[in-house]
Structure formats: structure tokens, C-alpha cells
Amino acid sequence: MNTLRLQLRFLLPLAGALLLAAALSQPLIDRLALGWFSRDLTLRGTLVADALSESIERALQREPNAGDPLRQLFDRTVRDERLVALGLCGPDGRLLQASAAYPRELGCAQARALGDTSSPQWRLPSGTVHVGWRPVGAADGGTGAALVLLHDLSFVERRSRDTQWLLVGVIAALGVVIALITMIVAQLSWRGWVQGARALLRGEGLAGLIGAASRPAPELAPLARELRARLRDLEDEYRRSLVAQDAPWTPERLRSLLRQQLHGEEVIVVSNREPYIHDRVGDSLVVRRPASGLVTALEPVMRACSGTWVAHGSGTGDRESADRDGRVAVPPDDPRYTLRRVWLTEEEEQGYYFGFANEGMWPLCHVAHVRPVFRESDWQAYRKVNARFADAIVREARSEDPVVLLQDYHFALVPALLRARLPRATIITFWHIPWPNPESFGICPWRREILQGLLGSSILGFHTRYHCKNFIETVDRYLEARIEHEHSSINYRGTETLIESYPISIAWPSEAERATWSPVEDCRRRVRERLGAPADRRLLVGVDRFDYIKGIVERIHAVERLLEKYPQWVGRVTLLQIAAPSRSSLEEYRGFQDRIANMVEHVNARFGRPGYRPVELLAEHHEPHAVNEAYRAADACVVTSLHDGMNLVAKEFVAARDDEQGVLVLSRFAGAARELNEALVVNPYHVEETAEALHRALGMPAAEQRERMASLRAVVREHNVYRWAARMLGDAARWRLRERIEARVERHRLEAEA
Ligand code: GDG
């Protein structure tokens, strides 16, 4: 339809121009035709006059006023279809004889005068005639008489009209042929142009322009340069605003980024854990906030954009505090966004969360030497719950292209399910745990389905480049996908996914928050008092969910080895291990927790004495202020994860130490080790090395501690959680901009084709 419109736009002016040309050409054609035929008729007249000349002369010599014989001769002669009439003028200018149709009003003098002009015409009621004047017997002095020959001129008009139509026809046919050729060429060039432009936008044009096989059309080169320059300007401007700012990222700055770059776009966050849990306690409803880095990171985003957070409703008072559709406005005391709860049955939660996610995916991705368990029934529950969440997200979406932030390994199938139903959504999936190498991932019976699910995302984020690389290699191993290493993107069945690293972090404590903290000396004293330890007892602190990936076994081994190797520490140092119970309904976790309790007993029995326990295990959930107090009371914080996506404890410890004292001992297998270079980095599997690091930490001079801590604090302050969210959302904004440009180009192409 649109092509037709376009073609009409082109053809109508062409037709107009042709008609105008035809109209303007008419008088010219008439004049030309008349000139040609006048000459023709003059010639004919001469021939006729020559043929009659002798008979006329003879008749006139016999009888000067010859009548009948001439009349008969004339009547015979005018049977010629073009000759209308003949007249004979005498030397005295009188009409001597004439054929029947000769107009009497055309006198000899007038005929003679006309005959001498270049356009000798006379108008009769039947039409215009050509007037010829031919002296008779002119060769030998002549008789003085002359023939008047009147030729029909109407055939000239007819011929001129015919010629004109023929001309219009030829011009029109030519015009149509030219138009068709032009349109075909234009279509072909347009297609090539569009493909070139799209390739450019995908970034392929760059390679093309510098000489690769897919070189775009040369006429695209200036446009390519212009487009690339514009997009690069935008990106640079954006990155400059992200990176080279002296001010650290704050919730306000994140909010303003949302306003500037994702102005008013709908944002939907999806996580297994909800940001607010309503619990029924006796007659009242109590609101709890889970201690989660993820919630801390995403809450400011939600507050800023008034979006929707979809999560599993797990509190005992969740149903009664929400409406029929599971919606509740939060935060409860200052509602800013909607929490949409998804209800799961006990079996669903068991199969999807405890089973597939925590007994399958968690050990699979962590490679912590705990065998993943994959049950068909858990997989079915996982699929079902993922479909339920996808349904809920689609139902919550108010626009066709929301920005969806999916959190973690609980929702690996959701991106593709969403992509099928909201093709224009920008889906950002963040994988909070590591991604293993292809061989390890190959253990999963549903590896292809998991990968296909994740590749429905627009952006797939990991903590480190190393995890990104593992993911790309895994896709390369198990799927037929086009991988562009240069851009770190994967194109699978027409969907492009950017694989990018976004190291998560914590919210850097505000002045107001820091004002509520007790001085470090008070924290040290209080914690030691609670442990029944003297003021000079050195304190190693570990804070973890009670999980086998956190390397708690290895940590206790290292403390045991420290005391063994450096007996001077016996009685002078204690490991305070806070271990918040987690996933305790799983046998693997219960067995692990029992094992730790036994190890602690063993070390305490070996090196302990009255009033001294080398390891204090506090296997219970602590309030955030208690965790912070432990960080501030510590001489060293010990993070010995066997494998960890990031590990926020390491960053929290650094943020808590505004006195710039304390040492961080950090596993090289935690994502945090990539950023926190001033920590004492250890291989937790190497007990000796870890014990040495503990020894070094306990003996580290205050000046070195200050230097290291100041540097660590600068990193965490700058690389805080708002920067994490801002980088992801900024990339999403860039992604949307590119998609919009591509969609516009595509729309024009379709319009042109329609
Ligand atoms: C996953 C990835 C990644 C611990 N005990 C208590 C308590 N905690 C808090 C800590 C910290 C959080 O729990 C633990 O965060 P981590 O990052 O260390 O580890 P995971 O829970 O395994 O988190 C991890 C993270 O996702 C984010 O992407 O870093 O690699 O495994 O905030 O302080 N908090 C309270 N009481 C406790 O007893 N209040």
C-alpha cells in the first residue's frame, strides 16, 4: 500500500509533465505539419497545373471564353480526393471557368494574393482549403490565364492530431518504462542501503568500512561515519557521566540517571526473595526486611521509577496484607512502588527453590565439590514456576516494552518466555552466582534449555569477565549460536544478547547512618565482653550464610594450623564465626552444619582452656547492627569462599572500618578479589597459605593496615551498588536507543516494501 503511495507520488507528477509537454507541443506540431503539407500541396498544384496546362491553352485558343469543355475537364480533375475545386482566371482577373464546388466569393485577385503567401489558406464552411495559383502556359510567354487550385487541408489537421496522440503515447510509454526502471533501481539500492545501515548499527559496518568482506555500499560511508560518531558521542557522554565523576554514585544520582536516560520507562524487578515480608505474629502483622544485598541495590531503582517488583510471597502474613491479585504498595510507611507477590504451593517451592535451584543449579555453578542433584520432578516444578512468574510479569506490564530486571538462577527460563510474549521488552538478567566452565555445566541434563532460556535476555550480567567468558564458551559448546567476541554478544535465533560484567556492591554508608555507629573501641569492648574475652584478645571475624561454598571448614582448618604453627597465638586469638542458618531443610546443609559444629568442638578441645575458646560459632541470624559491630570489633575479617559470585561481606567489612584499621583476608575464588587488591588474597584450599595470611594479618603494623584499608575503602566507595545498577540500566538505555533506531530503519524498509 505504502509502496503504491510512493509510486503514485512519483508517477502523478510524471504524468502531469507529459500532458503539459503534449499540450505545449500541439501548436508546434500543427505549424510543422502545415508547413510540410503546404509545400506538398504546392508541388501537387504545380503537377496538376502542368498536366492541365495544354488542354486549357488549347481550349482558350479555340475560344477565349471557353465554357463546357473546360468545365468537364475541371470536374473530372477534382475527383481526386484532395483537390476540392479548380478555377481558371483570365488575364483580366475574371473567373473564366470553375468546377462545381469552387467558392464564388473567392475572386481571382484574392486567390492570386493568397497564392503568393507562405501559408495560402481559405476557410470554407466544409473546412480549410489550401489555395494554389498557377499561371497556365507560363513556359512560352503564357496565355495570361492562371489556375486556382483549392486543396482540402482537413487531412492535415487529422494527421497532426494523430501524430500528437502517437507522440503522447510514445512519451507516456517511455515515462512508464523510465519510472519502472527507476523504482526497481531505487528499491534495490534502498534494500542494500537499509541492510548496510542495519549492519552499521550492529557494528558490522565498522569492519566493513575498514576492508572486511561485508563492505557496505560506498555511498553509505559518510552516513556510517556520521551515525557512528553520533552513537559514540552518546556513549562517551554517557560513560563519562558514569565513570569520570568525582562524586560517588548515590540513590539521587541513580534517580537522575533514570530520569535522563530511561525517562518514564516502566521498570519491573523480579526476584525470588521479596523486599518486604509480612509475618503474622499473634494478632498483629510485622513487616520484615530481608538482609540482602540485592534488595539494597534495587530498592532505590524502584523508588525512583515507581515500578513493580514481582517476587515469591513467602511471609506468613503476606496474603492478608495484599489485595486479591497479590499486590501491595511498599514501602508500607511511604508507598512508592508495587510489590506483586506470586503464590507458590509447598510442593512448588520444594521442587523449584529447594530442589532444582538450590540442590541442582547452586552446586552446579559453584563447583564446590558438592554433587548437584537433578530430579525430573524438580525440573518440572522449576519450569512451571518460571512460567508462573513470566505470566505475572506479562500481566503486570503496562507497556509493550518494559525494562525487566530479572534476578538470579531461580529464573533461567523466564527471559525466553518473556521474549516470546513481550518481544520489545528490554530484559536484563543478572546472575548473582558464578558461571562454571562448559565441562562442569555439561552435567546439567537440561543445559540446552537453561541456555536457551537465558538467551531470551537483552543483557545478561555476571559479576566478573571470567564468568562471562565461561558462559560464552558454554553456549559455544552446546548451542548453534553466532558469537561476536569483539562485542561480547551472542545472537541466538534472531535474539541478540549482550554478555557483560557488572560487579555488584553495597550501598556506601551515608553520614546519617555512620552517625548511629558506636566508636570502634566500644564495639571491640562490647564484643569481647560478650565472648568473655579480655580486652587484648585478637579477633578474627567471619560472617556468612551457613553455606558450604563459604569455605567455613577450610577457615577452621586454617585457624587450627595457625595455632599449631604459631603457638604464641594460643590463648591470644579467637575466630568469631557468625553463620546465619540457611536452607536448613536440605539434608546437605544440615549435614554440613553438624560437621562444622563438630570441627569447632574439636579445635576448641585441642587448643582451648578455661576462659579461652579458639573458635566461637554463632549459628543464628544477627541483626544488621550486630553484624556491623562485629566488623568494627575485628582485627581481621576472614572470607574463604571456595567459589563465590562476589561476596558482599568483604565489602561490608571495608565500609564499616572508618578507622582505617583491620585486615581483609580474602579468597581468590570470590569475585571481590578482582577489585579488592589490597586484601591478603589466599587460596582457601591451601590451609598452610591461609594460616600464614592469618598470622601476617594479626601481626600487621597499624600503618600498613591504614594504607591498605584506605585504598580498599576508596574502591568500595566508588564501586558501590548504585554504580552497579546505573551501569546496567545505562546499558539498557543504550540498548533501547539502538533498538529504536533499528526499528525505525526497519519500519521504513517495510513501508517501502508494502
Ligand atoms: C549471593 C552470591 C553475591 C549474613 N549473615 C547475616 C547477614 N548476612 C548478610 C551479609 C551479606 C549477605 O548476608 C551475604 O552476602 P554475600 O554476597 O556474602 O553472599 P550470598 O548470600 O551467597 O549472595 C554472592 C551476592 O549474591 C550478591 O550478588 O555477592 O556471591 O552468592 O550482606 O551481611 N545479615 C544479617 N544477619 C546475619 O546473620 N542481618
Side-chain angles (χ1 to χ4, degrees), residues 173-385:
L174 256 175
V176 169
V177 170
I178 291 170
L180 282 176
I181 291 172
T182 311
M183 275 186 310
I184 288 168
V185 171
Q187 283 268 356
L188 291 177
S189 323
W190 172 248
R191 251 182 235 176
W193 194 92
V194 167
Q195 273 166 11
R198 294 178 75 201
L200 279 171
L201 289 165
R202 280 198 303 274
E204 292 163 10
L206 189 62
L209 280 173
I210 56 175
S214 62
R215 182 182 282 276
E219 63 271 21
L220 278 177
L223 178 79
R225 270 192 296 278
E226 180 68 10
L227 259 179
R228 279 208 318 277
R230 288 286 138 263
L231 288 175
R232 194 152 303 157
D233 283 354
L234 274 174
E235 274 177 40
D236 287 352
E237 202 178 302
Y238 163 67
R239 286 197 187 280
R240 264 200 304 280
S241 76
L242 281 188
V243 180
Q245 297 263 349
D246 0 305
W249 277 95
T250 59
E252 291 68 42
R253 223 181 122 195
L254 179 60
R255 245 170 256 148
S256 98
L257 170 125
L258 279 164
R259 268 196 304 273
Q260 281 167 18
Q261 311 223 358
L262 283 170
H263 20 240
E265 314 272 7
E266 188 187 5
V267 178
I268 303 176
V269 165
V270 188
S271 67
N272 174 67
R273 190 177 290 179
E274 51 184 344
Y276 293 90
I277 305 171
H278 285 87
D279 274 333
R280 172 144 290 281
V281 181
D283 285 345
S284 50
L285 278 178
V286 178
V287 181
R288 267 198 307 125
R289 305 237 23 217
S292 149
L294 184 153
V295 172
T296 319
L298 296 170
E299 171 97 336
V301 177
M302 295 313 286
R303 282 174 184 253
C305 60
S306 310
T308 305
W309 190 316
V310 181
H312 170 211
S314 59
T316 51
D318 273 355
R319 276 183 196 265
E320 54 185 305
S321 56
D323 70 9
R324 259 185 335 132
D325 299 315
R327 294 198 187 98
V328 55
V330 288
D333 47 352
D334 175 23
R336 303 288 278 276
Y337 64 95
T338 304
L339 169 60
R340 160 73 150 86
R341 288 170 171 151
V342 175
W343 312 119
L344 301 180
T345 64
E346 226 171 89
E347 294 75 52
E348 282 170 343
E349 191 183 359
Q350 183 58 43
Y352 136 82
Y353 179 72
F354 289 109
F356 193 79
N358 287 329
E359 286 191 286
M361 296 302 283
W362 180 266
L364 177 80
C365 289
H366 278 97
V367 193
H369 313 289
V370 169
R371 295 166 71 133
V373 179
F374 290 112
R375 299 182 198 90
E376 177 67 32
S377 56
D378 289 347
W379 168 243
Q380 292 310 337
Y382 187 82
R383 290 182 52 196
K384 194 167 149 198
V385 171

Side-chain angles (χ1 to χ4, degrees), residues 615-627:
V615 182
E616 293 284 358
L617 175 67
L618 303 181
E620 60 202 16
H621 183 82
H622 285 60
E623 287 307 310
H625 78 268
V627 173

